[in-house]
Coordinates of all heavy atoms in Angstrom, one line a residue:
F187 N 1.1 24.6 12.8 CA 0.6 25.7 13.5 C 1.6 26.0 14.7 O 1.9 27.1 15.0 CB -0.8 25.4 14.1 CG -1.3 26.5 15.0 CD1 -1.8 27.7 14.4 CD2 -1.3 26.3 16.3 CE1 -2.3 28.7 15.3 CE2 -1.8 27.3 17.2 CZ -2.3 28.5 16.6
A188 N 2.0 24.9 15.4 CA 2.9 25.1 16.5 C 4.2 25.8 16.1 O 4.7 26.7 16.7 CB 3.2 23.8 17.2
H189 N 4.7 25.4 14.9 CA 5.9 26.0 14.4 C 5.7 27.4 14.0 O 6.6 28.2 14.2 CB 6.4 25.2 13.1 CG 7.0 23.8 13.4 ND1 7.5 23.0 12.5 CD2 7.1 23.2 14.6 CE1 7.9 21.9 13.1 NE2 7.7 22.0 14.4
S190 N 4.5 27.7 13.5 CA 4.2 29.1 13.2 C 4.2 30.0 14.5 O 4.4 31.2 14.4 CB 2.9 29.3 12.5 OG 1.8 29.1 13.4
R191 N 4.0 29.4 15.6 CA 4.1 30.1 16.9 C 5.4 30.0 17.6 O 5.5 30.3 18.8 CB 2.9 29.6 17.8 CG 1.5 29.7 17.3 CD 1.2 31.2 17.0 NE 1.2 32.0 18.1 CZ 0.3 32.2 19.0 NH1 -0.9 31.6 18.8 NH2 0.4 33.0 20.0
G192 N 6.4 29.4 16.9 CA 7.7 29.3 17.5 C 7.9 28.1 18.4 O 8.9 28.2 19.2
V193 N 7.1 27.1 18.4 CA 7.2 26.0 19.4 C 7.4 24.7 18.6 O 6.9 24.4 17.6 CB 5.8 25.9 20.1 CG1 5.8 24.6 21.0 CG2 5.6 27.1 21.0
I194 N 8.3 23.9 19.2 CA 8.6 22.5 18.6 C 8.1 21.5 19.7 O 8.3 21.8 20.9 CB 10.1 22.3 18.3 CG1 11.0 22.7 19.4 CG2 10.4 23.2 17.0 CD1 12.5 22.4 19.1
H195 N 7.6 20.4 19.2 CA 7.0 19.4 20.1 C 8.1 18.5 20.7 O 8.1 18.2 21.9 CB 6.0 18.6 19.3 CG 5.2 17.7 20.2 ND1 5.6 16.5 20.7 CD2 3.9 17.7 20.6 CE1 4.7 15.8 21.3 NE2 3.6 16.6 21.3
R196 N 8.9 17.9 19.9 CA 10.1 17.0 20.3 C 9.7 15.6 20.7 O 10.6 14.8 21.0 CB 10.9 17.7 21.4 CG 11.5 19.0 21.0 CD 12.7 19.4 21.9 NE 12.2 19.6 23.3 CZ 13.1 19.7 24.3 NH1 14.4 19.7 24.1 NH2 12.6 19.9 25.5
D197 N 8.4 15.3 20.7 CA 8.1 13.9 21.1 C 6.9 13.4 20.3 O 5.9 12.8 20.8 CB 7.8 13.8 22.6 CG 7.8 12.4 23.1 OD1 8.4 11.5 22.4 OD2 7.2 12.1 24.2
I198 N 6.9 13.7 19.0 CA 5.8 13.2 18.1 C 5.9 11.7 17.9 O 7.0 11.3 17.5 CB 5.8 14.0 16.8 CG1 5.7 15.5 17.0 CG2 4.6 13.5 15.9 CD1 6.0 16.3 15.8
K199 N 4.9 11.0 18.1 CA 4.9 9.5 18.0 C 3.4 9.1 18.0 O 2.5 9.8 18.4 CB 5.7 8.9 19.1 CG 5.1 9.1 20.5 CD 6.0 8.5 21.6 CE 5.5 8.8 23.0 NZ 6.3 8.2 24.0
P200 N 3.2 7.9 17.5 CA 1.8 7.4 17.4 C 1.1 7.4 18.8 O -0.1 7.7 18.8 CB 1.9 5.9 16.9 CG 3.2 6.0 16.1 CD 4.1 6.9 16.8
D201 N 1.8 7.1 19.9 CA 1.1 7.1 21.2 C 0.8 8.5 21.7 O 0.0 8.6 22.7 CB 2.0 6.4 22.2 CG 2.0 4.9 22.0 OD1 1.1 4.3 21.4 OD2 3.0 4.2 22.5
N202 N 1.2 9.5 21.0 CA 0.9 10.9 21.4 C -0.1 11.5 20.4 O -0.3 12.7 20.4 CB 2.1 11.8 21.5 CG 2.9 11.5 22.8 OD1 2.4 11.0 23.8 ND2 4.1 11.9 22.8
I203 N -0.8 10.6 19.7 CA -1.8 11.1 18.8 C -3.1 10.4 19.1 O -3.2 9.2 19.1 CB -1.4 10.8 17.3 CG1 -0.2 11.5 16.9 CG2 -2.6 11.1 16.4 CD1 0.4 11.0 15.6

Side-chain angles (χ1 to χ4, degrees):
F187 176 77
H189 288 182
S190 74
R191 303 299 302 275
V193 173
I194 55 176
H195 188 284
R196 299 198 297 171
D197 196 21
I198 303 166
K199 59 183 178 180
D201 283 340
N202 282 342
I203 298 168

